[in-house]
Amino acid sequence: MGSSVPSIGQTWRAIRDRLDTAGIPMAALDARLLVRHVLGLDATGLILSESDPVPGGKVSDLESLVARRLAGEPVARILSVQEFYGLDFRLNPATLIPRPETEMLVDFSIEHLKSHPAPSVADLGTGTGCILLAVLANLPKASGVSVDISADALDQAQANAEALGLADRFGARHGSWFEPLGEEKFDLIVSNPPYIASATIETLEPGVKSFDPMAALDGGPDGLAPYRIISAQARAHLVRGGVLALEIGFDQGHMVNELLSSEGFCDIAIAKDLAGHDRMVTARVPK
Ligand SMILES: C[S@@+](CC[C@H](N)C(=O)[O-])C[C@H]1O[C@@H](n2cnc3c(N)ncnc32)[C@H](O)[C@@H]1O
């Protein structure tokens, strides 16, 4: 008589099939991540445990996470962690799940600052701290401050800085945009602000509108409210020749370009993401 307890391999494949049947993309990856999380296994551990039985006490834990995924909750939210730029960022309910397209702000920042002897960076609307912390992890002489209006998000960014061993070059400032920065000036200001028009939020997929915090999404009536504030005030917080890099929505490049040029920025450039959508605007303060 064989055991009726399913093996770990059978279990993750059965979960994969349930997620796939429910139309969830990346069903296989999600199934493996959920099983690994509940059983405390890394990727290799999952392979090596293929034939082992799922411990009895873990079956209901796993089932409750699968139910959450089937209800549309993103895996990153369920596990409270998201990989970004090769680093793990812990999440809390006040933080946006870092998105892969935001990595292009990190690419740009590293490339722009790599020859600078000791660059300073401000990250406005930091969430998990992912942009600034990925920059600091790759530029050992850089330091920076993270600003967020959400004290809970900022607490998570601070915890992530500590977990990544970057806290000595990282500062957390609570408040709205430039308000907590006093007179400070930076070599680079980066921001991925909320940029969804308020009325559009209702139309977003459930995994976004129900599980990402509203303060991370809502960019006001036309989605441009944060860009108006940032473009009007950034020059006062950048050194001469300092640079601003902003993530934008796919249809906002033209308007953000206009805002920045009316504030006297030069070398304004719009860059596309890997999907071919306008995703980042960069601009420089004249020297
Ligand atoms: C789109 S999320 C980006 C989070 C993170 N930088 C990322 O790329 O994953 C925007 C962030 O801006 C913050 N935020 C919204 N309004 C703000 C304000 N007035 N001042 C500072 N931060 C603000 C939100 O709390 C949220 O963390």
Side-chain angles (χ1 to χ4, degrees):
M1 290 277 286
S3 161
S4 62
V5 179
S7 71
I8 290 174
Q10 288 168 328
T11 299
W12 83 252
R13 284 189 286 277
I15 294 170
R16 172 197 64 194
D17 293 347
R18 286 168 67 195
L19 298 181
D20 186 55
T21 302
I24 289 174
M26 318 268 277
L29 176 63
D30 285 7
R32 289 194 294 270
L33 288 172
L34 293 176
V35 171
R36 281 173 48 192
H37 178 74
V38 170
L39 301 183
L41 297 170
D42 62 15
T44 308
L46 184 67
I47 294 166
L48 295 176
S49 311
E50 166 78 21
S51 315
D52 296 349
V54 176
K58 299 290 184 183
V59 172
S60 65
D61 294 352
L62 189 50
E63 194 50 39
S64 76
L65 299 195
V66 172
R68 286 168 64 183
R69 186 68 193 101
L70 286 169
E73 187 169 350
V75 157
R77 198 58 78 192
I78 296 171
L79 306 187
S80 296
V81 67
Q82 174 66 39
E83 187 265 351
F84 177 86
Y85 222 82
L87 304 168
D88 277 346
F89 289 89
R90 304 286 309 170
L91 311 174
N92 71 19
T95 56
L96 186 85
I97 299 171
R99 308 294 207 264
E101 57 269 27
T102 303
E103 293 192 356
M104 72 188 291
L105 271 82
V106 181
D107 285 344
F108 172 85
S109 304
I110 294 170
E111 186 58 30
H112 176 67
L113 296 172
K114 68 182 181 197
S115 316
H116 195 296
S120 60
V121 183
D123 176 13
L124 305 179
T126 199
T128 53
C130 60
I131 302 173
L132 177 59
L133 291 169
V135 172
L136 297 184
N138 284 279
L139 293 176
K141 292 175 184 152
S143 59
V145 296
S146 269
V147 175
D148 210 289
I149 197 145
S150 161
D152 288 343
L154 214 50
D155 284 349
Q156 189 63 69
Q158 179 68 43
N160 284 331
E162 286 161 22
L164 293 167
L166 298 168
D168 56 335
R169 294 184 284 128
F170 174 90
R173 308 279 174 81
H174 182 220
S176 184
W177 306 130
F178 296 97
E179 177 259 327
L181 296 180
E183 306 278 298
E184 281 175 88
K185 288 184 189 276
F186 301 88
D187 298 299
L188 175 72
I189 295 173
V190 287
S191 184
N192 172 19
Y195 56 70
I196 314 288
S198 309
T200 307
I201 288 172
E202 218 13 68
T203 68
L204 297 175
E205 58 176 283
V208 176
K209 76 172 174 205
S210 307
F211 298 104
D212 274 325
M214 205 47 66
L217 302 175
D218 193 343
D222 63 358
L224 295 167
Y227 299 115
R228 290 196 182 86
I229 298 170
I230 293 170
S231 55
Q233 297 180 22
R235 280 190 67 173
H237 294 275
L238 283 165
V239 300
R240 284 191 185 183
V243 164
L244 176 64
L246 300 172
E247 182 165 322
I248 56 164
F250 72 95
D251 56 354
Q252 293 173 323
H254 175 68
M255 287 303 299
V256 175
N257 185 341
E258 290 212 338
L259 286 169
L260 292 170
S261 64
S262 72
E263 295 293 342
F265 280 90
C266 61
D267 297 345
I268 301 171
I270 301 174
K272 292 188 189 302
D273 62 19
L274 294 174
H277 299 127
D278 287 353
R279 187 60 64 195
M280 178 175 71
V281 178
T282 56
R284 191 167 60 79
V285 175
K287 288 200 175 156

